[in-house]
């Protein structure tokens, strides 16, 4: 995996690291320590504002300020190049995190006492992403990718939640025969085309496939990925009459108002759906990807992790804020407001909409998102969207392989 050591690209990362200066926050005229908390989720800004206000009140000598810009990952990368790294960073377990995690930007948090409270499966996901044993990110909140369904429609059509792929397709056919749209597909937004891929690939091919692809031991043209592609195509006939003309916002409203029985989405969409219809009887099940129901895993990744800048002058105060965020009361408040799942053990998500997912968390039947292991420069979303429009699985897998190789060669 040494060949996969990642770089920031246009900027010379080595130069950045050698000249990295302290963060812009610090001791001010008011005698308080000012800390910047930079996080990437606009929908979570309100939740973090509440927690920050509570922390600042309990810690009068520290002032935490939240930064939440549009296109946050790009802003963060730009700031890193300019040696302006925020004290604390909240972000998803993405390719950007992997790049920064391997580059010495984040402090190693090994030995912190609260690590014993973090779900080790999510910790391992971060280590797999960076290919390192250093602990430079603390999993905070997780999400889930699967199938939402309208319980009222299922009850009316006398349908049971499918447990296998064949049952899944049978349910879709029954719904269609009843004159109801089985899936409201929102493939005008390319990122939504990748949601089914993210469920199929980790379950059918396994995350190890992507780790082996880094070392050039496997190819996307291997038969196991052909099955992933074929199943992604199989859903299309059960969508709307305009699968590539509907957006994520369209889907949230339409599904909320009963225009489809099922919705391929993530748990992050639940608050938006409820804004459109607070009374919807919403259910959520893990995508049944194969023939063995017991082998099926829920796709759940680190939606928000917390990292501390290696360059911060206020590590002690930064760690105090992180410790505050993972206190039971505070993480419980966050996941309730965000319909997320706690990476802190012992804190359950009690929303009835996702009750059917809890057994997967209890038993550890979880697997990470496939696209967390695919470099952003590969542009997976647009590749999947183009593939679904054209229907040529062979061409898609060949192109995915070639784009991966191009990016890998640039990073080697």
């Amino acid at each position: 995996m040494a060949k996969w050591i990642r770089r920031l690209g246009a900027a010379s990362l080595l130069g950045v690291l050698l000249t990295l200066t302290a963060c812009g926050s610090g001791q001010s005229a008011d005698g308080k320590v000012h800390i910047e908390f930079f996080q990437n989720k606009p929908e979570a800004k309100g939740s973090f504002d509440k927690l920050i206000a509570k922390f600042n009140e309990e810690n009068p000598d520290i002032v935490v300020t939240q930064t939440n810009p549009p296109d946050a990952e790009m802003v963060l990368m730009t700031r890193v190049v300019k040696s302006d790294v925020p004290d604390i960073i909240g972000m998803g377990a993405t390719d950007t995190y992997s790049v920064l995690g391997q580059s010495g930007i984040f402090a190693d948090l090994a030995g912190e006492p609260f690590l014993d409270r973090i779900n080790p499966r999510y910790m391992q996901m971060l280590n797999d992403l960076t290919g390192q044993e250093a602990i430079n990110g603390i999993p905070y909140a997780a999400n889930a990718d699967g199938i939402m369904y309208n319980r009222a429609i299922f009850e009316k059509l006398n349908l049971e939640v499918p447990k296998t792929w064949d049952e899944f397709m049978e349910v879709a056919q029954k719904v269609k025969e009843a004159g109801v749209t089985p899936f409201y597909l929102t493939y005008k937004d390319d990122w939504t085309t990748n949601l089914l891929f993210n469920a199929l690939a980790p379950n059918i091919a396994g995350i190890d496939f992507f780790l082996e692809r880094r070392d050039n031991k496997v190819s996307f043209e291997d038969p196991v990925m052909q099955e992933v592609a074929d199943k992604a195509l199989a859903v299309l006939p059960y969508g709307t009459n305009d699968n590539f003309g509907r957006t994520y916002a369209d889907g949230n409203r339409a599904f909320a108002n009963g225009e489809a029985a099922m919705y391929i989405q993530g748990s992050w969409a639940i608050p938006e759906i409820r804004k459109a219809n607070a009374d919807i009887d919403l259910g959520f099940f893990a995508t049944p990807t194969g023939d063995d129901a017991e082998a099926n895993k829920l796709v759940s990744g680190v939606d928000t992790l917390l990292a501390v800048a290696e360059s911060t002058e206020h590590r002690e105060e930064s760690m105090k804020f992180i410790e505050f965020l993972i206190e039971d009361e505070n993480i419980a408040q966050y996941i309730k407001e965000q319909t997320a799942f706690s990476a802190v053990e012992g804190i359950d998500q009690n929303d009835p909409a996702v009750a059917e997912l809890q057994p997967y968390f209890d038993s550890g039947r979880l697997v990470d998102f496939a696209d967390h292991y695919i470099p952003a420069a590969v542009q997976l979303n647009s590749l999947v969207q183009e593939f679904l429009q054209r229907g040529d699985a062979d061409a898609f897998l060949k192109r995915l392989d070639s784009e991966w190789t191009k990016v890998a060669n640039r990073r080697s």
Side-chain angles (χ1 to χ4, degrees), residues 21-57:
T21 59
C23 304
S25 53
Q27 201 85 22
S28 68
D30 61 8
K32 299 180 179 181
V33 174
H34 287 250
I35 295 173
E36 180 186 8
F37 173 49
F38 181 106
Q39 69 91 14
N40 71 322
K41 289 176 64 66
E43 60 269 31
K45 184 178 185 302
S47 294
F48 279 124
D49 276 342
K50 294 176 188 176
L51 291 170
I52 288 169
K54 180 180 177 182
F55 175 84
N56 288 345
E57 184 177 356

Side-chain angles (χ1 to χ4, degrees), residues 1 11-12 99 117-118 180 195 253 319 339 398:
M1 199 171 295
S12 170
V99 170
R117 303 186 59 219
I118 305 299
V180 179
L195 293 169
R253 287 190 297 269
M319 296 309 303
T339 322
K398 184 175 182 179

Side-chain angles (χ1 to χ4, degrees), residues 6 116 233 297 331:
R6 303 174 178 190
D116 291 341
L233 284 174
K297 295 179 181 179
I331 180 63

